[in-house]
């Protein structure tokens, strides 16, 4: 290896072919001159004549040969030096060319970035260039900015439509038209929530308005589903029966994608907007735009509803004005009497004004004293660093003398107060010579809350101050006084206009205050009762006795008392709820007792009527529950034929719309878990229909398979409820899972209306889904109904089957208030291979209540488990 490396260096650095002709001539001349000079020196040293023979003669000594070789070595060194310099120069030229190319590429990319031509940049073959990566990032940012700009422009367009139109019909069509035009949709509809239904107010398709009336109940169809869930639906798989509009050119064209958007005011649904598109995919920014429209349009609809209510109130007010005008003569007469009283009042006002002026002067003096006693001065530099603080700040803000003040301490201020001070400082900093004032809250070291008012002025230009000065004073007492004054004014207004009796009686039993309602209740004027002792009034003795008893009790323990009392008034006997509230003075001593008496007579009568009606209804429902319980099978009945089985049955109300059904015919057993529409009394009535129809069907022919039984039950429910008749819009019916078990053949026939069958065999769970149709309901026009599907399943001994209603998976609960879900049922069934039916019975009962927690039960719950 070293020999190869040496040969490489010799070929690289002793390469004479790379020596230029001028350099070769210079080296040759150098050798000749040096050799001649050397040889001349040796000849002269030996004192010999100069000739070729002499030159040959001196080469008989080793020193001459050594010098000759040394001269040749110097020449070869020169060749090596020239080749090495040329190699370095070539390398530097290559690197310079490479740097020049990269510089040209970077200039090209930078120029394209400046022009915004990002697509050309992507076609440049420089994958690892930082400028190329920057261009890609800028292109992505530009795309996002365009999308945000598109959303903002769309919101401006929609807001302009919302501002322009006030009539709901005009607003509906203009809104749906604007959304379709801006989002490149083809058709759309606007639904308004009216009661419990969504009513179509506008339809727009293919650039013109369509007049199509539609209604959806909440929870029915895609529109009803959005209304129920209050969340937007975006679908690219459109159902076959989805509503389409004829374009005139394209005939019936079904959209390829669909957005259904709830219009919300906070958590309250106002309406639905439905938009169809011919695109297979809708960009994310358009979906975000649709989401933002939800609250914008929802708030406007809510505001228009409020405006409509306001118009109704305005109309009522106008009608009241007419009535007031009719009473104008009476008011004029009262006005003349008031003029006479006004003259007396003016004399009193003059005296009162002098007293008010004295009070105002006193208040000004008091404010001046408080201001001077509770203010401090602070000076901050332009970087908001404390430069000076007056000594009074420590006493006012609760600092000790040995503690250091650091200025605007955010830990001692509320977040709002800290923002207020920072905003004030920034304003003053940007306004030379400017002044401004702000109020904020501050927490003292002791935890006491202060309200401070500070007046700031920018004196950075003043050479004596060179800072921003703040003059701060404690306004806590002023804030408290203003609050108390507002509360007193509000309480006085409430008291004067209250329908309740309000009396204030001092500790000696003297009536200090009574509102106008007292006069109506006891039949005496306010002037006749005020400033008199309660025992001196000619009113109901029971009321006087109650007042005296309460005064004695409150004097003893100073606690509020609430009680009811029947008294006699000019309007008859009244039941009053009286609240006695102790009032303490500034020294925390009992000063008076405030009595508030509320008329409970009508409420008590209504309460008694409700109790009587509730008792009758409860008796009727309990009787219906006894009838329902007597005809339905219980767990012991099923366990007689299937010992390892259970029924988990939890009605939501006293009576239930869910019911278990079990019938034996020889060695054939029929078992079903039936879920009728609704719960409570309506569901129970449907359950009787289903129960007796099922019994009649299996009594007709024992050879009917499970699907045939459901077909006959479907027709029977429709006939019983007259759902086939024209004009009957009833959708009542039932969902169920039905099993026909043949012990001799060891087979199970299963058919389901929506509800599934779970078969558990040796730890493996198989789900048989029911047909996607329910029992009963109004027939669909122009659409042939499919028959129920029959499943025949051979079973082995030890197999376990489970059928249930939707009340179990639909129950809300858990930490995140979600549905129980069928997935939780399947996980419980497959948790272990050796779990018994008794375990499942205990598990689902306890797990259901643990999941439900404090939530209300949403529906009747029924689950049947049988081990074969």
């Amino acid at each position: 290896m070293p020999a190869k490396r040496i040969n490489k260096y010799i070929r690289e650095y002793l390469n004479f072919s790379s020596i230029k002709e001028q350099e070769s001539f210079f080296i040759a001349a150098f050798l000749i001159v040096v050799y001649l000079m050397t040889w001349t020196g040796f000849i002269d040293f030996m004192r010999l004549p100069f000739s070729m023979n002499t030159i040959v003669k001196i080469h008989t000594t080793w020193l001459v040969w050594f010098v000759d070789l040394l001269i040749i070595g110097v020449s070869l060194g020169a060749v090596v030096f020239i080749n090495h310099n040329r190699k370095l120069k070539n390398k530097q030229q290559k690197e310079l060319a490479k740097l020049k190319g990269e510089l040209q590429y970077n200039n090209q990319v930078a120029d394209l970035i400046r022009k915004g031509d990002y697509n050309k940049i992507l076609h440049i073959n420089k994958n690892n260039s930082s400028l190329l990566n920057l261009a890609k990032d800028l292109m992505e940012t530009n795309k996002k900015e365009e999308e945000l700009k598109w959303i903002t422009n769309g919101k401006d367009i929609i807001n302009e439509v919302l501002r322009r139109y006030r009539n709901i019909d005009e607003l509906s069509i203009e809104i749906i038209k604007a959304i379709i035009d801006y989002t490149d949709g083809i058709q759309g509809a606007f639904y308004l929530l009216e009661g419990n239904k969504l009513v179509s107010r506008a339809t727009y398709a293919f650039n013109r308005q369509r007049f199509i009336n539609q209604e959806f109940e909440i929870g029915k169809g895609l529109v009803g589903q959005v209304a129920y869930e209050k969340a937007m639906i975006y679908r690219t798989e459109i159902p076959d029966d989805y509503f389409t509009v004829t374009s005139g050119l394209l005939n019936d064209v079904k959209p390829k994608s669909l957005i259904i958007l709830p219009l919300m005011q906070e958590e309250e649904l106002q309406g639905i907007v439905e938009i169809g598109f011919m695109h297979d995919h809708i960009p994310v920014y358009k979906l975000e735009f649709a989401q933002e429209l939800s609250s914008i349009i929802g708030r406007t609809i809510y505001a228009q509803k409020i405006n409509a209510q306001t118009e109704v109130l305005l109309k009522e007010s106008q009608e009241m004005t007419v009535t007031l005008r009719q009473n104008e003569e009476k008011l004029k007469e009262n006005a003349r009497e008031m003029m006479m009283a006004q003259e007396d009042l003016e004399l009193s006002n003059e005296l009162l004004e002098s007293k008010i002026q004295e009070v105002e002067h006193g208040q000004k003096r008091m404010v001046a004293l408080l201001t001077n006693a509770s203010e401090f001065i602070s000076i901050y530099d332009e970087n908001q660093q404390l430069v000076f603080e007056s000594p009074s700040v420590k006493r006012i803000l609760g600092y000790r003398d040995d503690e250091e003040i650091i200025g605007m301490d955010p830990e001692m201020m509320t977040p709002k107060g800290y923002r207020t001070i920072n905003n004030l400082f920034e304003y003053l900093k940007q306004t030379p010579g400017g002044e401004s004032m702000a109020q904020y809250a501050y927490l003292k070291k002791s935890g006491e809350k202060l309200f401070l008012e500070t007046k700031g002025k920018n004196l950075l230009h003043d050479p004596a101050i060179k800072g921003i000065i703040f003059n701060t004073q404690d306004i806590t007492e002023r804030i408290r006084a203003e609050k108390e004054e507002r509360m007193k004014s509000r309480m006085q207004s409430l008291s004067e206009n209250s329908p309740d009796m309000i009396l204030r009686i001092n500790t000696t039993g003297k009536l200090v205050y009574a509102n106008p309602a007292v006069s109506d209740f006891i039949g005496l004027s306010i002037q006749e009762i005020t400033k008199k002792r309660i025992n001196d009034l000619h009113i109901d003795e029971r009321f006087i006795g109650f007042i005296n008893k309460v005064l004695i009790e409150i004097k003893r323990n100073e606690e509020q008392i609430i009680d009811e009392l029947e008294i006699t008034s000019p309007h008859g006997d009244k039941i009053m709820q009286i609240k006695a509230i102790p009032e303490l003075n500034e020294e925390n001593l009992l000063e008076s007792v405030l009595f508030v008496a509320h008329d409970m007579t009508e409420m008590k009568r209504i309460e008694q009527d409700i109790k009587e009606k509730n008792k009758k209804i409860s008796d009727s429902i309990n009787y219906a529950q006894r009838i329902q319980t007597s005809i339905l099978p219980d767990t012991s009945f099923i366990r007689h034929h299937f010992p390892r089985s259970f029924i988990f049955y939890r009605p939501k109300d006293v009576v239930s719309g869910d019911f278990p059904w079990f019938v034996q015919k020889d060695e054939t057993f029929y078992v079903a878990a039936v879920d009728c529409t609704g719960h409570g009394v309506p569901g129970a009535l449907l359950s009787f229909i289903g129960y007796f129809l099922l019994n009649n069907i299996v009594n007709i022919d024992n050879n009917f398979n499970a699907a045939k039984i459901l077909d006959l039950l479907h027709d029977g429910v429709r006939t019983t409820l007259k759902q086939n008749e024209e004009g009957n819009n009833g959708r009542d019916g039932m969902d169920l899972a039905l099993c026909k078990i043949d012990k001799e053949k060891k087979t199970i026939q299963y058919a389901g209306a929506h509800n599934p069958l779970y078969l558990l065999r040796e730890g493996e769970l198989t789900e048989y889904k029911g047909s996607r149709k329910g029992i009963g309901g109004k027939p669909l026009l122009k659409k042939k109904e499919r028959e129920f599907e029959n499943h025949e399943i051979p079973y082995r001994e030890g197999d376990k089957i489970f059928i249930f209603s939707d009340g179990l998976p639909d129950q809300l609960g858990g930490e995140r208030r979600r549905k129980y879900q069928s997935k939780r049922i399947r996980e419980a069934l497959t948790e272990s291979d050796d779990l018994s039916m008794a375990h499942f019975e205990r598990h689902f009962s306890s797990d259901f209540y643990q999941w439900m927690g404090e939530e209300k039960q949403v529906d009747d719950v029924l689950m049947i488990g049988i081990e074969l």
Side-chain angles (χ1 to χ4, degrees):
M1 190 71 181
K4 292 181 179 180
R5 189 176 299 172
I6 292 172
N7 290 333
K8 177 183 177 183
Y9 287 152
I10 291 174
R11 288 193 302 272
E12 186 174 344
Y13 291 104
L14 294 178
N15 184 8
F16 288 94
S17 61
S18 61
I19 302 298
K20 295 180 181 179
E21 182 178 355
Q22 183 180 0
E23 294 171 342
S24 300
F25 176 78
F26 175 77
I27 293 172
F30 173 77
L31 286 176
I32 293 172
V33 172
V34 172
Y35 273 126
L36 288 175
M37 290 177 65
T38 304
W39 292 339
T40 302
F42 276 108
I43 292 172
D44 183 63
F45 179 76
M46 294 179 180
R47 299 183 184 277
L48 296 174
F50 184 83
S51 65
M52 287 298 298
N53 292 330
T54 306
I55 292 173
V56 172
K57 183 178 180 181
I58 64 175
H59 279 84
T60 57
T61 62
W62 64 271
L63 182 60
V64 176
W65 282 106
F66 175 76
V67 173
D68 288 348
L69 291 175
L70 184 62
I71 293 171
I72 292 174
V74 171
S75 301
L76 292 176
V79 172
V80 170
F81 177 76
I82 291 171
N83 286 330
H84 177 69
N85 285 343
R86 184 169 286 112
K87 181 180 178 182
L88 290 177
K89 184 176 181 181
N90 291 336
K91 184 177 179 181
Q92 289 174 351
Q93 289 177 347
K94 289 180 180 179
E95 290 179 353
L96 183 61
K98 181 179 178 182
L99 290 173
K100 184 177 180 181
E102 290 182 356
L103 182 61
Q104 291 176 349
Y105 163 74
N106 290 339
N107 289 335
Q108 182 183 3
V109 172
D111 186 56
L112 292 175
I113 290 175
R114 185 172 58 257
K115 294 178 180 179
D117 195 351
Y118 301 105
N119 291 327
K120 288 185 179 180
I121 297 175
L122 296 179
H123 291 88
I124 299 175
N125 189 17
K126 288 283 185 176
N127 294 330
N128 58 350
S129 171
S130 59
L131 277 177
L132 182 59
N133 294 332
L134 176 61
K136 292 180 179 178
D137 293 339
L138 289 174
M139 183 170 64
E140 184 67 23
T141 302
N142 185 62
K143 180 182 177 183
K144 291 181 179 179
E145 289 178 352
E146 290 295 329
E147 292 174 353
L148 289 174
K149 182 178 179 181
W150 186 90
I151 293 173
T152 302
N153 291 338
K155 288 164 65 176
D156 292 340
I157 292 172
I158 299 303
N159 283 326
E160 179 61 27
V161 173
L162 293 175
R163 285 192 295 268
R164 185 181 303 169
Y165 297 96
R166 297 301 179 186
N167 181 274
I168 189 64
D169 293 324
E170 295 178 351
L171 178 64
S172 302
I173 185 62
E174 292 300 328
I175 279 293
I176 200 67
K177 178 180 176 183
I179 295 176
I180 290 175
D181 292 344
Y182 193 71
T183 59
D184 198 21
I186 59 166
Q187 67 183 49
F190 187 98
Y191 301 90
L192 196 64
L193 181 64
E194 297 181 1
N196 292 325
K197 291 185 178 180
L198 293 161
V199 180
S200 174
R201 299 303 293 265
T203 305
Y204 188 82
F206 301 103
N207 298 321
R208 64 191 181 95
Q209 184 177 2
R210 309 302 176 106
F211 298 93
I212 301 171
N213 296 324
Q214 294 188 95
E215 291 185 358
F216 292 95
E217 293 183 1
I218 293 178
K220 302 296 184 180
L222 290 176
V223 174
Q225 181 182 351
V226 171
Y228 177 75
E229 297 179 354
K230 297 181 181 179
M232 184 181 76
I233 284 182
Y234 163 51
R235 295 192 62 167
T236 56
E237 297 179 1
I238 310 302
D240 295 335
D241 57 351
Y242 176 71
F243 173 73
T244 59
V245 179
T246 303
S247 69
L249 296 174
L250 305 176
N251 296 325
D252 290 337
V253 179
K254 186 171 70 173
K256 295 183 180 180
S257 57
L258 180 67
I259 292 177
I260 305 178
L261 179 69
L263 305 179
M264 304 295 296
Q265 161 62 17
E266 294 182 351
E267 296 297 326
E268 183 177 351
L269 179 71
Q270 304 297 323
I272 298 290
V273 168
E274 178 182 21
I275 305 295
F277 300 85
M278 290 302 294
H279 310 296
D280 294 327
H281 173 72
I282 300 175
V284 174
Y285 69 90
K286 287 191 177 182
L287 297 178
E288 293 175 353
F289 173 66
Q291 287 279 23
E292 295 196 24
L293 291 184
S294 173
S295 59
I296 295 174
I297 302 176
R299 286 195 299 267
T300 301
I301 296 174
Y302 177 77
Q304 289 204 357
K305 290 181 179 178
I306 296 300
N307 290 339
Q309 295 175 2
T310 304
E311 290 178 359
V312 172
L313 293 175
L314 180 59
K315 183 178 179 181
E316 293 176 355
S317 175
Q318 292 172 347
E319 293 174 354
M320 186 178 296
T321 301
V322 174
T323 303
L324 291 174
R325 286 175 180 173
Q326 295 173 354
N327 297 329
E328 186 175 0
E329 289 301 324
K330 187 176 180 179
L331 290 174
K332 287 181 178 180
E333 182 179 352
N334 293 336
R336 285 192 293 269
E337 294 177 355
M338 290 178 63
M339 288 292 293
M340 296 175 63
Q342 185 176 0
E343 295 177 357
D344 297 333
L345 186 61
E346 287 178 353
L347 296 175
S348 300
N349 284 342
E350 291 177 0
L351 179 61
L352 183 60
E353 285 179 1
S354 63
K355 297 293 184 181
I356 290 174
Q357 288 179 356
E358 292 180 6
V359 173
E360 288 179 349
H361 292 319
Q363 286 180 341
K364 289 179 180 179
R365 288 193 298 271
M366 182 62 69
V367 169
L369 290 173
L370 292 174
T371 302
N372 294 329
S374 58
E375 67 178 10
F376 60 90
I377 297 174
S378 307
I379 300 176
Y380 291 84
D381 62 14
E382 60 182 3
N383 297 320
Q384 207 168 345
Q385 298 296 318
L386 181 64
V387 177
F388 170 78
E389 196 98 71
S390 61
S392 59
V393 66
K394 292 187 177 181
R395 176 180 54 81
I396 294 173
L397 300 185
Y399 284 85
R400 297 194 307 270
D401 292 338
D402 58 343
E403 288 182 317
E404 183 179 358
I405 299 176
I406 62 174
M408 300 177 184
D409 189 353
E411 296 182 359
M412 304 303 293
M413 302 172 68
T414 63
K416 181 179 178 181
Y418 191 64
R419 289 194 301 271
T420 300
I421 289 299
N422 281 336
N423 293 337
L424 175 62
F425 189 88
E426 290 299 324
Y427 168 76
L428 293 173
K429 182 178 176 181
Q430 297 173 9
T431 312
E435 294 184 12
S436 186
M437 184 179 293
Q439 294 181 358
Y440 62 97
Y442 189 90
L443 297 176
K444 296 177 69 173
K445 287 285 187 175
S446 61
E448 180 184 354
K449 189 174 183 180
L450 293 179
F451 290 96
L452 302 177
E453 182 180 76
T454 185
K455 181 178 181 182
K457 186 173 183 179
N458 186 343
L459 296 177
L460 289 169
H461 60 282
D462 190 333
I465 304 298
K466 293 183 180 180
I468 298 176
I469 185 169
F470 292 92
N471 191 339
T472 306
Q473 62 177 339
D474 183 357
I475 61 169
T476 306
E477 285 299 318
R478 193 176 77 190
I479 295 293
R480 184 189 62 78
E482 291 174 353
K483 183 176 180 181
E484 287 182 358
E485 188 64 29
R486 289 195 300 270
M487 289 298 295
K488 286 180 181 179
S489 176
R490 192 179 297 116
M491 288 300 296
Q492 182 69 19
S493 175
L494 291 173
S495 173
E496 294 295 328
N497 296 284
S498 173
D500 297 338
M501 287 197 302
I502 301 176
L503 305 95
R504 178 173 286 109
I505 301 175
N506 62 20
T507 55
T508 64
K510 181 181 290 187
L511 190 65
V512 180
Y513 168 79
N515 71 337
V518 175
S519 178
D520 294 335
F521 273 95
I522 66 176
L524 298 174
S525 66
I526 300 300
Q527 291 77 13
E528 292 178 300
I529 60 177
T530 52
K531 305 300 181 181
K532 293 184 179 180
R533 296 187 182 276
I534 192 69
N535 293 329
D536 297 336
L537 300 177
H538 299 290
I539 58 176
D540 193 324
E541 293 294 335
R542 291 172 295 179
F543 186 56
I544 295 175
F546 176 81
I547 295 292
N548 290 326
K549 179 183 176 182
V550 168
L551 287 173
I552 294 172
E553 185 69 23
I554 290 182
K555 286 178 183 179
R556 185 166 57 247
N557 42 21
E558 296 183 356
E559 292 181 356
Q560 177 178 296
I561 296 175
I562 301 176
D563 203 351
E564 292 183 0
L565 178 68
E566 184 175 352
I567 64 174
T568 302
S569 73
H571 308 290
D573 291 341
K574 299 289 184 179
I575 300 174
M576 308 297 292
Q577 183 190 66
I578 304 176
K579 181 184 293 185
I581 305 169
E583 295 181 321
L584 307 180
N585 60 15
E586 295 179 355
E587 298 176 357
N588 208 28
L589 298 176
L590 182 65
E591 186 175 54
S592 59
V593 178
L594 184 68
F595 290 87
V596 181
H598 180 67
D599 187 358
M600 301 286 290
T601 308
E602 184 65 19
M603 185 181 297
K604 289 292 183 180
R605 185 188 64 77
I606 295 173
E607 182 180 342
Q608 185 61 31
D609 290 343
I610 292 173
K611 286 181 179 179
E612 293 176 358
K613 291 178 181 178
N614 284 343
K615 185 177 184 305
K616 292 178 181 179
I617 294 172
S618 298
D619 292 342
S620 299
I621 293 175
N622 289 330
Y623 186 67
Q625 190 263 347
R626 289 196 296 273
I627 295 174
Q628 187 180 46
T629 303
S630 65
I631 66 174
L632 297 181
D634 57 14
T635 302
S636 61
F637 181 71
I638 296 181
R639 283 180 177 171
H640 179 72
H641 302 283
F642 298 96
R644 290 182 289 276
S645 61
F646 70 88
I647 299 178
F648 176 46
Y649 185 41
R650 296 294 182 270
K652 181 180 183 294
D653 302 307
V654 178
V655 290
S656 172
D658 291 6
F659 69 92
W661 178 71
F662 186 82
V663 172
Q664 178 191 5
K665 295 290 183 180
D666 298 327
E667 289 300 312
T668 302
F669 299 87
Y670 301 85
V671 61
V674 187
D675 181 4
C676 298
T677 303
H679 47 76
V681 174
L685 292 175
L686 275 177
S687 73
F688 285 123
I689 295 173
Y691 178 82
F692 289 112
L693 283 176
L694 284 171
N695 285 343
N696 292 337
I697 292 169
V698 297
N699 287 331
I700 293 173
D701 192 341
N702 194 33
N703 293 321
F704 288 151
N705 62 25
K708 183 63 176 177
I709 293 172
L710 293 194
D711 289 330
L712 294 173
L713 177 62
H714 182 57
D715 294 336
V717 170
R718 280 185 172 174
T719 301
T720 303
L721 298 179
K722 299 180 181 181
Q723 293 173 334
N724 292 315
E725 297 181 1
E726 185 176 356
N728 189 333
N729 294 322
R731 298 183 179 181
D732 301 315
M734 54 196 74
D735 297 337
L736 75 154
L738 171 70
C739 294
K740 180 180 179 181
I741 304 172
D742 191 333
K743 283 192 172 183
E744 291 183 351
K745 296 180 181 180
K746 290 189 176 296
T747 59
I748 304 171
Q749 291 186 23
Y750 157 73
H754 288 138
N755 292 351
L757 164 70
Y758 287 170
L759 172 64
L760 184 63
R761 176 179 294 167
E762 296 178 354
E764 293 187 4
L765 184 69
T766 304
E767 179 181 358
Y768 296 90
K769 296 185 177 180
S771 302
R772 298 183 64 182
K773 61 180 286 188
I775 301 296
K778 183 180 179 181
L780 297 175
L781 298 177
K782 300 180 182 180
K783 186 173 182 180
K784 184 179 179 181
E785 285 189 336
R786 293 180 295 180
E787 295 181 346
F788 287 97
E789 183 180 0
N790 191 68
H791 300 268
E792 186 164 344
I793 309 164
Y795 74 81
R796 306 175 190 170
E797 185 175 350
D799 286 354
K800 301 178 181 68
I801 60 173
F802 301 88
I803 53 179
F804 49 88
S805 66
D806 61 2
L808 179 57
D810 286 349
Q811 177 61 47
L812 296 176
E815 294 180 356
R816 304 175 67 180
R817 198 175 182 272
R818 291 186 173 181
K819 290 185 178 181
Y820 192 88
Q821 295 188 342
S822 301
K823 178 182 177 182
R824 190 177 181 90
I825 300 175
R826 293 193 295 268
E827 290 175 350
L829 295 176
T830 57
E831 182 180 0
S832 179
D833 297 346
D834 56 352
L835 298 178
S836 65
M837 296 301 285
H839 167 81
F840 291 133
E841 180 179 11
R842 292 190 302 270
H843 169 78
F844 285 113
S845 177
S846 62
D847 191 52
F848 173 78
Y849 286 109
Q850 183 178 356
W851 178 266
M852 183 168 63
E854 298 298 326
E855 297 287 339
K856 292 183 179 180
Q857 186 172 337
V858 299
D859 200 358
D860 301 319
V861 176
L862 172 62
M863 184 179 194
I864 301 174
I866 297 175
E867 182 175 337
L868 303 170

